[in-house]
Amino acid sequence: VTAPKEKARPTLRIGDLAEQSGVPIATIKYYIREGLLPPPPMKTGRTMAYYDEDYLEQLRVVRRLREEHFLPVRVIKTILEERGAAPLDAHARALVLSAGPGFLARVQAERAPAPPAADPNLTPDERTLLEDLGLLGGDADEDAELLGAMAAMEQAGLGRDRFPLEGLGHYVELLGELARRELRHFAQHAEGLDSATVETLAARAFALTAPLVAIIHKKLVLRTLRAELARKETP
Amino acid sequence: VTAPKEKARPTLRIGDLAEQSGVPIATIKYYIREGLLPPPPMKTGRTMAYYDEDYLEQLRVVRRLREEHFLPVRVIKTILEERGAAPLDAHARALVLSAGPGFLARVQAERAPAPPAADPNLTPDERTLLEDLGLLGGDADEDAELLGAMAAMEQAGLGRDRFPLEGLGHYVELLGELARRELRHFAQHAEGLDSATVETLAARAFALTAPLVAIIHKKLVLRTLRAELARKETP
């Protein structure tokens, strides 16, 4: 959960937040207790606190994810945390700053041309959800790739009636955590290499861990299913 | 969260649960929504449901953990899941038992022939680690696929000096959790379909979520890196 920026002086009371967002005061307090929202940026007494416009915007995102898309608190929390998480120590950070831009440029240059834009017929609400999840609205090629995969699912009879988009919240939560750990892990073990070598290795790792993730994911789906079936025999 | 045993006929209404446990109805509903308690074992209408004594006992456990030990919902959930790790409710379980074996047979039949066995030069210790992680030692084709991916990494200069196998523990932890959620999510949304249709849809979902996982994973790696680089500019 990112702390609100400090530009605007906080002038909103919790009652104003409730009125402008349509979220009851008790629910706002619950969100703060559960860590979905940070504590008030400005407290002037035991029961007096002021909030700013950024806070209101965050509250609206939480509300959408929770009340329109019914995502569980835990999932929303992780998604929000990801927006502003600080996963790296100083050494890893230095490595990322020196080799990161070159790596990104290289990945973008090496990437296959974007597939023709497929259309999974998203409603405006669904598009907003994907943007809130951070899956749409950034790089055009990456957007096209995701929309293509979703259109393929729809064509195979796996439409959003059977597979609602909220399910993607789980992917963002768990694969996002995996991505952070990979970055940390890579940085730890690349210590002592020069920046050009790091760039090359990172680009190769990026290409080669994709199949590894796919293989392990498939394997674990099958393993989970087998475990569930085996349970039958040992009641 | 384990499903209550079915010995005793469910005769308790949610109001009875609330009265006997001292937990308000709204809170019980919240626990069910958050997955701390399974859905009612017996539903007789849209708003009529019955619970049994086991359910009451589980509710008392949740209450103790939450109100006496102040554990967060997320932690309680993990504790309960680890106890009996029965991730599926009765309906989902029935679905898995009826369509699961056919699905497995189908996935195995449709699968590409195993690649020629590549050798990532595993030491006996490393092999044992992969077996402990549940990644090796089961199906021969799946083993060959994983070993092939690892050999490719080694050939690209990403050997185990730079990328120790322990790192795969993260994949098993997070992708394993993802697999369990996918199974649950699929079962929930496949309600009301006959077993042959479930089998077909499951096989398609299995094939189509693999690219989806790969796309989202790649996207989140890039997003994590971009977020880290952007941090530089806004200290």
Side-chain angles (χ1 to χ4, degrees):
Chain A
V1 179
T2 51
K5 292 166 216 133
E6 292 176 310
K7 302 172 299 197
R9 200 180 147 70
T11 56
L12 300 167
R13 299 290 312 275
I14 195 164
D16 302 323
L17 290 182
E19 198 170 289
Q20 293 184 38
S21 67
V23 178
I25 291 181
T27 307
I28 297 175
K29 288 184 173 169
Y30 167 74
Y31 289 160
I32 295 173
R33 266 200 319 277
E34 290 292 318
L36 291 184
L37 291 171
M42 185 173 162
K43 274 201 104 161
T44 56
R46 211 173 58 81
T47 59
M48 281 290 261
Y50 291 91
Y51 304 81
D52 56 22
E53 289 291 333
D54 286 338
Y55 208 92
L56 190 58
E57 177 50 32
Q58 273 186 292
L59 180 56
R60 287 197 186 107
V61 172
V62 170
R63 187 197 183 171
R64 265 204 308 273
L65 293 173
R66 180 138 172 93
E67 294 179 19
E68 291 173 24
H69 302 296
F70 307 106
L71 286 180
V73 166
R74 182 181 39 75
V75 174
I76 298 175
K77 202 168 159 180
T78 316
I79 291 168
L80 294 177
E81 275 170 357
E82 230 168 83
R83 294 186 168 186
L88 301 177
D89 62 29
H91 157 71
R93 182 138 178 74
L95 194 94
V96 163
L97 290 182
S98 74
F103 164 77
L104 276 179
R106 191 164 174 152
V107 163
Q108 263 152 352
E110 282 171 7
R111 163 164 83 181
D119 187 1
N121 297 310
L122 296 175
T123 66
D125 258 12
E126 289 172 332
R127 183 167 283 275
T128 304
L129 173 60
L130 289 175
E131 285 167 4
D132 285 345
L133 290 175
L135 292 176
L136 265 196
D139 179 280
D141 284 319
E142 289 168 27
D143 284 3
E145 210 181 9
L146 181 71
L147 293 174
M150 291 177 57
M153 292 204 68
E154 198 165 84
Q155 276 162 27
L158 301 160
R160 258 116 50 220
D161 48 336
R162 293 273 166 218
F163 298 90
L165 291 191
E166 293 79 70
L168 291 180
H170 299 300
Y171 292 81
V172 173
E173 180 192 348
L174 295 167
L175 296 175
E177 175 62 22
L178 190 63
R180 282 191 298 281
R181 292 194 198 169
E182 284 176 306
L183 188 63
R184 232 179 289 153
H185 197 252
F186 180 87
Q188 265 169 26
H189 291 90
E191 198 155 3
L193 298 175
D194 65 281
S195 154
T197 309
V198 170
E199 211 182 291
T200 306
L201 284 181
R204 287 189 194 155
F206 183 71
L208 287 167
T209 53
L212 202 63
V213 165
I215 288 168
I216 294 176
H217 173 250
K218 278 200 314 190
K219 166 135 201 111
L220 294 178
V221 170
L222 295 177
R223 191 175 81 173
T224 304
L225 182 59
R226 286 181 186 127
E228 202 54 51
L229 290 173
R231 209 180 278 258
K232 179 175 54 172
E233 288 132 38
T234 53
Chain B
V1 181
T2 51
K5 291 164 217 139
E6 292 177 310
K7 299 172 301 194
R9 198 181 151 68
T11 56
L12 301 168
R13 300 290 310 276
I14 195 163
D16 303 323
L17 290 183
E19 197 171 292
Q20 293 183 38
S21 66
V23 178
I25 290 181
T27 307
I28 296 175
K29 287 184 174 167
Y30 168 72
Y31 288 160
I32 295 173
R33 270 201 315 276
E34 289 293 318
L36 291 184
L37 292 170
M42 186 173 161
K43 273 200 104 160
T44 57
R46 212 173 57 81
T47 58
M48 283 288 262
Y50 291 92
Y51 304 79
D52 56 22
E53 290 292 332
D54 287 338
Y55 207 92
L56 190 57
E57 178 51 31
Q58 275 187 290
L59 181 54
R60 288 196 187 107
V61 172
V62 170
R63 188 198 183 173
R64 263 201 311 274
L65 293 172
R66 184 144 169 88
E67 294 179 20
E68 292 173 25
H69 301 294
F70 306 105
L71 288 178
V73 166
R74 183 179 40 76
V75 174
I76 298 176
K77 206 169 161 183
T78 314
I79 291 171
L80 293 176
E81 276 172 355
E82 261 167 42
R83 277 188 177 185
L88 301 178
D89 61 28
H91 156 73
R93 178 132 183 78
L95 194 94
V96 163
L97 290 181
S98 74
F103 164 77
L104 276 179
R106 193 164 173 149
V107 163
Q108 263 151 353
E110 282 171 7
R111 163 164 79 181
D119 187 1
N121 297 312
L122 295 175
T123 66
D125 259 11
E126 288 173 332
R127 183 167 282 275
T128 304
L129 172 62
L130 289 176
E131 285 168 4
D132 285 347
L133 288 175
L135 292 177
L136 266 196
D139 179 280
D141 283 321
E142 289 168 25
D143 284 3
E145 211 180 9
L146 181 71
L147 293 173
M150 290 176 57
M153 291 201 70
E154 200 165 81
Q155 277 162 29
L158 301 159
R160 257 114 52 218
D161 49 336
R162 292 275 166 215
F163 298 89
L165 291 190
E166 295 78 69
L168 291 179
H170 297 301
Y171 292 80
V172 173
E173 178 192 345
L174 295 167
L175 296 175
E177 174 61 21
L178 189 64
R180 283 191 294 282
R181 292 196 198 169
E182 283 175 307
L183 188 63
R184 230 179 291 154
H185 197 251
F186 180 86
Q188 265 170 26
H189 290 91
E191 197 155 6
L193 299 175
D194 65 281
S195 152
T197 308
V198 171
E199 212 182 290
T200 306
L201 283 182
R204 287 189 194 155
F206 183 71
L208 287 167
T209 52
L212 202 62
V213 165
I215 289 167
I216 294 176
H217 172 250
K218 277 198 315 188
K219 166 136 202 111
L220 295 179
V221 171
L222 295 178
R223 192 174 80 173
T224 304
L225 183 59
R226 285 182 187 126
E228 204 54 49
L229 290 173
R231 210 179 280 257
K232 179 176 51 171
E233 289 133 36
T234 54

